[in-house]
Amino acid sequence: MNEDVFRFSDNLGPTRIIHVYEPVLDLKGILVVDNVAAGPSIGGLRMAPDVSLEECVRLARAMTLKNAAAELPHGGGKSILFGDPAMDSSRKEQLIRGFCAALGNEEDYIFGPDMGTNEQCMAWVKDEIGRSVGLPREIGGIPLDEIGATGWGVAHAAEVAAGYCDLELDNARVVIQGFGAVGSHAARFLADKGTQLVGASDSRGSVYDADGLDVEELAELKREGASILDYPGGQKSVPEAVIGMECDIWVPAARPDILNRNNIADLKTRVVVQGANIPATIAAEKYMKEHGIVSVPDFIANAGGVICAAMEYQGSTESAVFSNIENKVRRNTQLVLDAAFSRNMVPRQAAVELAEERVIRAMSYRRWNVF
Ligand code: NAD
């Protein structure tokens, strides 16, 4: 046996790795089903020219932990399709239909949207094999980005975290790195709790105003396809300037590893709520703990999207989604921060322990245990 084939295996998974290659369509893709102890896996289909098997394995594990932490009846998985997501729509449809049809029998995986795919793509998957979430409203979907499912959870995580450093939300200053779907809704829901947005950024630049920015005006600009830099007023700068903006709550909501050993000392905040996936390196997480910055890890704070997707799959309603996200995210934020403070750990470590424990408990109920 070539041991190298199992180089990604550990005590949780992955249970299956499937390569899909269809020479006639020039279709190349990979499915990683990480762990299905809690139920069929849910995870996004990522389309990009430069994705890799390793990335897919890491993302599938992240979904196992996120779904377990949220106590969803789902394991974690992820799929990738090689190609430029901006390709001609009919070619994209052909690839996505071909890919999911090839995986039609893999009932342990439910497709969701991710980078390079959207609700229209999920409608094609639903039509082809009947197994996807993140669907358009017309066919029973709950549009999670439109309603701000993830931002809603982020705002609640921030409120709970504030209690761990005696921070009042009333007039607390907020900075959002990446004013997209997650970032803009988080800013909106936090503003409803009395906070003031003082800084924001997108891929083109950043804006700061100590007297406050207009959340709705910024969101409208972004919806129209304009940039943060088109906001009338405020101090404009490069995107990276957002890291040094003085505030009380700092929300990363864009790319991975944005906080790292080279810039973490520039951060001037009391709370970080990780809206983006893996926005902080291990060194940055350690620095935050050592310097008293309360940080809520990504898969605890940003679980709103997948909670919404899982509820859509079960035929739930939009109004039920909000209260469920609120309850689960608040409870988990508290559990993780309590454990981190009482055991003097980095919150991410506490979150991983909490989620892994739930996965292992779910695994103990499966039939493999009786052999
Ligand atoms: P989005 O594309 O709607 O928004 C991303 C924003 O980040 C855009 O405004 C973009 O201009 C900006 N951006 C990109 N590079 C930047 C940079 N270097 N500096 C500053 N801003 C930059 O994406 P989204 O759906 O809001 O997702 C944001 C992050 O949250 C991603 O990491 C995603 O994986 C994660 N996430 C999203 C959801 C969800 O429900 N959408 C759920 C969980 C996690």
Side-chain angles (χ1 to χ4, degrees):
M1 180 172 64
N2 181 356
E3 296 288 335
D4 198 41
V5 169
F6 293 98
R7 66 191 180 284
F8 298 117
S9 310
D10 65 16
N11 60 328
L12 301 187
T15 183
R16 272 195 287 294
I17 299 178
I18 299 172
H19 285 76
V20 177
Y21 174 50
E22 292 289 352
V24 177
L25 291 178
D26 189 23
L27 182 168
K28 291 185 187 122
I30 299 173
L31 166 67
V32 176
V33 179
D34 184 49
N35 187 294
V36 292
S41 64
I42 287 193
L45 164 60
R46 177 166 294 194
M47 187 173 198
D50 57 352
V51 280
S52 67
L53 169 61
E54 186 177 345
E55 181 178 343
C56 195
V57 168
R58 283 180 65 201
L59 292 166
R61 174 57 50 86
M63 289 312 299
T64 297
L65 298 180
K66 190 183 292 195
N67 295 346
E71 292 178 313
L72 300 176
H74 294 287
K78 199 85 182 183
S79 58
I80 56 177
L81 192 47
F82 293 86
D84 178 359
M87 70 175 61
D88 170 71
S89 173
S90 59
R91 167 80 179 135
K92 188 168 177 175
E93 179 172 356
Q94 183 187 48
L95 286 180
I96 288 176
R97 283 184 182 274
F99 184 54
C100 69
L103 296 169
N105 292 330
E106 292 307 318
E107 294 193 353
D108 274 341
Y109 177 63
I110 300 161
F111 285 81
D114 193 66
M115 276 168 57
T117 61
N118 58 16
E119 54 191 37
Q120 183 184 26
C121 303
M122 291 307 110
W124 296 331
V125 175
K126 171 91 175 166
D127 183 45
E128 204 66 42
I129 62 165
R131 241 180 17 255
S132 60
V133 288
L135 296 165
R137 217 188 270 275
E138 301 77 38
I139 53 172
I142 305 175
L144 59 95
D145 277 342
E146 190 186 309
I147 67 173
T150 303
W152 172 252
V154 166
H156 280 283
E159 190 169 27
V160 174
Y164 287 76
C165 55
D166 292 327
L167 173 67
E168 294 286 335
L169 280 199
D170 213 21
N171 288 322
R173 297 158 304 166
V174 173
V175 167
I176 307 275
Q177 186 257 350
F179 208 76
V182 174
S184 61
H185 284 295
R188 182 164 65 86
F189 291 126
L190 277 167
D192 291 345
K193 292 179 184 293
T195 68
Q196 189 181 39
L197 180 72
V198 293
S201 70
D202 63 14
S203 55
R204 287 190 264 168
S206 59
V207 59
Y208 177 78
D209 191 335
D211 293 329
L213 299 162
D214 187 322
V215 176
E216 283 311 323
E217 195 170 347
L218 273 177
E220 185 56 32
L221 275 175
K222 292 294 290 176
R223 271 195 295 274
E224 289 166 354
S227 165
I228 288 284
L229 295 175
D230 298 310
Y231 181 80
Q235 246 169 278
K236 311 285 170 26
S237 189
V238 292
E240 296 72 33
V242 78
I243 292 167
M245 290 176 182
E246 200 160 330
C247 63
D248 302 298
I249 300 171
W250 200 87
V251 179
R255 306 300 303 270
D257 299 337
I258 203 78
L259 295 174
N260 52 60
R261 68 169 74 246
N262 300 323
N263 62 20
I264 189 70
D266 297 336
L267 205 59
K268 297 186 188 76
T269 188
R270 297 166 71 186
V271 171
V272 168
V273 185
Q274 303 182 5
N277 288 320
I278 42 169
T281 63
I282 292 169
E285 299 263 12
K286 260 181 83 182
Y287 179 96
M288 289 192 278
K289 175 188 168 286
E290 282 159 10
H291 291 78
I293 299 172
V294 179
S295 170
V296 186
D298 50 7
F299 68 86
I300 298 298
N302 73 18
V306 76
I307 295 172
C308 178
M311 292 179 74
E312 174 193 300
Y313 197 69
Q314 286 149 18
S316 191
T317 60
E318 208 166 301
S319 55
V321 159
F322 280 104
S323 63
N324 203 10
I325 293 172
E326 176 177 339
N327 292 340
K328 285 182 189 264
V329 172
R330 290 188 80 94
R331 180 165 167 268
N332 277 338
T333 302
Q334 194 177 340
L335 282 174
V336 164
L337 294 180
D338 278 351
F341 275 82
S342 66
R343 295 167 59 200
N344 196 22
M345 301 193 275
V346 171
R348 171 167 296 275
Q349 192 190 339
V352 168
E353 282 185 16
L354 170 104
E356 281 189 354
E357 205 180 291
R358 289 180 183 172
V359 178
I360 288 165
R361 227 176 308 138
M363 288 167 79
S364 75
Y365 306 133
R366 297 302 293 254
R367 70 187 286 266
W368 301 122
N369 279 311
V370 299
F371 294 112

